[in-house]
């Protein structure tokens, strides 16, 4: 078959397709639905990335509480940053209005987990307790104004409605699991600044979290079992710090404690590439 014959066959095939066929019309509808869904998915990925970045910045800010005299100023600044993060989560709620959240869950879960980690870290520093899922969701309520309808009378005021975003239990658990790594870093930095009480508080708190995750076992999300290993490592490092403080605290000058614990953890943790 030469080139002309091939072109003739393709033209005949195109001519044989009836564009008014109900099957073709149905597939065009499917195409439009899929394109709309993919566009929404990409927008959610971008918003989730912004939520992740701002939440990480909040966590970095909160780590300064061990080195400044006025911790309340740091916590208030973190409040302002978390309000901005919640505004971005409000954009996610706008995108998911009338949608099944689980169809787009993979797009938003990294940002939601990072937000849970940041807000729970701030809550622990302020209250020395773990924030609940209900407390997190209570802050994710957004008031919205309906767009003006051109056909409505000019004197008719625009209506308002309320949007809510619900953090799923799996995202909450995974965010709390990531929190343990930040608490371990808080422990080491606290020791470096001469605070020998915080490590013992953190050790008890981390044991309670570890016990809670142990009760979940294999019944929780798949990712929990992977993060449980990191949780145990963080708990072990904090317990080592408490042990050294209790046994050798009087022998080591306070300004050298952080260096001692950092070196000890590096030697004991070959999985991080240190031998």
């Amino acid at each position: 078959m030469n080139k002309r014959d091939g072109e003739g066959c393709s033209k005949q095939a195109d001519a044989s397709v009836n564009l008014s066929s109900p099957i073709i019309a149905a597939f065009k509808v499917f195409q439009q639905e899929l394109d709309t869904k993919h566009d929404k998915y990409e927008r959610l990925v971008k918003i989730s990335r912004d939520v992740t970045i701002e939440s990480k910045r909040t966590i970095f800010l909160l780590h300064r509480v061990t080195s400044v005299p006025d911790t309340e100023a740091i916590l208030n600044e973190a409040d302002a940053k978390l309000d901005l993060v919640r505004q971005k989560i409000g954009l996610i709620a706008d995108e998911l209005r009338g949608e099944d959240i689980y169809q787009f869950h993979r797009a938003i879960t990294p940002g939601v987990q990072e937000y849970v980690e940041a807000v729970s870290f701030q809550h622990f520093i302020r209250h020395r307790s773990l924030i609940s899922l209900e407390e997190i969701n209570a802050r994710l309520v957004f008031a919205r104004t309906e767009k003006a309808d051109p056909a409505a009378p000019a004197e008719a005021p625009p209506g308002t409605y309320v949007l809510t975003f619900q953090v799923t239990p799996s995202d909450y658990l995974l965010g709390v699991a990531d929190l343990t790594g930040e608490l371990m870093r808080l422990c080491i930095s606290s020791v470096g600044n001469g605070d020998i009480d915080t490590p013992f508080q953190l050790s008890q708190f981390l044991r309670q979290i570890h016990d809670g995750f142990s009760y979940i076992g294999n019944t929780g999300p798949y990712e929990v079992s992977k993060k449980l290993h990191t949780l145990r490592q963080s708990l072990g490092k904090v317990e080592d710090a408490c042990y050294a403080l209790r046994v050798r605290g009087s022998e080591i000058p306070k300004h050298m404690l952080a260096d001692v614990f950092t070196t000890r953890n590096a030697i004991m943790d070959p999985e991080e590439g240190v031998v």
Side-chain angles (χ1 to χ4, degrees):
M1 181 182 293
N2 56 30
K3 183 177 181 181
R4 290 184 177 180
D5 293 337
E7 292 177 353
C9 291
S10 62
K11 290 180 179 180
Q12 291 176 2
D14 292 339
S16 63
V17 175
N18 185 3
L19 297 180
S20 62
S21 168
I23 297 178
I24 299 300
F27 272 94
K28 284 187 175 296
V29 173
F30 299 154
Q31 177 187 7
Q32 185 177 6
E33 291 178 354
L34 288 174
D35 288 343
T36 302
K37 180 180 178 181
H38 291 159
D39 292 343
K40 186 185 291 288
Y41 190 93
E42 291 301 321
R43 290 195 299 269
L44 288 170
V45 169
K46 292 178 181 178
I47 299 173
S48 176
R49 190 179 299 120
D50 292 339
V51 171
T52 300
I53 292 172
E54 293 300 326
S55 298
K56 285 184 180 294
R57 289 173 178 170
T58 304
I59 292 172
F60 296 153
L61 171 66
L62 289 169
H63 275 293
R64 292 171 50 196
V65 297
T66 59
S67 58
V68 296
D70 187 7
T71 59
E72 194 62 31
I74 296 293
L75 292 173
N76 291 335
E77 187 178 350
D79 274 330
K81 285 183 174 292
L82 288 175
D83 284 338
L84 295 176
V85 175
R86 281 187 277 269
Q87 292 179 16
K88 295 184 182 297
I89 294 178
L91 299 178
I92 295 178
D94 289 330
E95 292 285 352
L96 294 178
R97 185 184 181 191
E99 301 281 358
D100 181 5
I101 185 176
Y102 289 100
Q103 289 188 0
F104 303 94
H105 186 249
R106 288 177 63 88
I108 63 175
T109 184
V112 174
Q113 291 179 31
E114 200 69 32
Y115 168 73
V116 171
E117 181 181 357
V119 74
S120 58
F121 190 35
Q122 186 214 29
H123 188 273
F124 175 81
I125 293 173
R126 177 169 279 164
H127 302 288
R128 286 297 191 263
S129 62
L130 179 64
I131 191 171
S132 67
L133 178 60
E134 291 74 17
E135 291 176 286
I136 292 177
N137 286 333
R139 301 291 300 274
L140 300 178
V141 180
F142 312 98
R144 294 290 187 264
T145 303
E146 293 280 3
K147 294 182 179 179
D149 187 0
E155 64 273 7
T160 60
Y161 61 94
V162 175
L163 276 179
T164 60
F165 181 85
Q166 298 291 312
V167 175
T168 62
S170 61
D171 286 338
Y172 172 73
L173 289 174
L174 295 172
V176 171
D178 291 333
L179 168 67
T180 58
E182 303 303 330
L183 295 179
M184 182 270 295
R185 296 179 185 92
L186 180 66
C187 169
I188 302 302
S189 59
S190 298
V191 172
N193 287 281
D195 182 2
I196 60 175
D197 295 326
T198 297
F200 293 97
Q201 297 174 1
L202 290 171
S203 176
Q204 183 179 3
F205 182 70
L206 286 175
R207 285 194 198 101
Q208 293 173 351
I209 293 181
H210 178 268
D211 292 343
F213 275 94
S214 299
Y215 292 144
I216 295 174
N218 295 328
T219 61
Y222 168 72
E223 295 86 352
V224 169
S225 60
K226 295 190 297 183
K227 294 194 175 185
L228 187 58
H229 175 68
T230 305
L231 192 159
R232 286 171 178 158
Q233 284 184 325
S234 299
L235 175 59
K237 292 176 182 179
V238 173
E239 288 180 337
D240 285 340
C242 293
Y243 172 81
L245 281 173
R246 185 69 72 188
V247 176
R248 300 182 56 200
S250 60
E251 303 173 3
I252 306 173
K254 288 185 177 181
H255 67 278
M256 296 179 59
L257 286 174
D259 295 334
V260 172
F261 296 144
T262 302
T263 304
R264 178 183 177 89
N265 289 331
I267 295 174
M268 295 184 62
D269 197 0
E271 293 188 3
E272 293 184 2
V274 182
V275 295

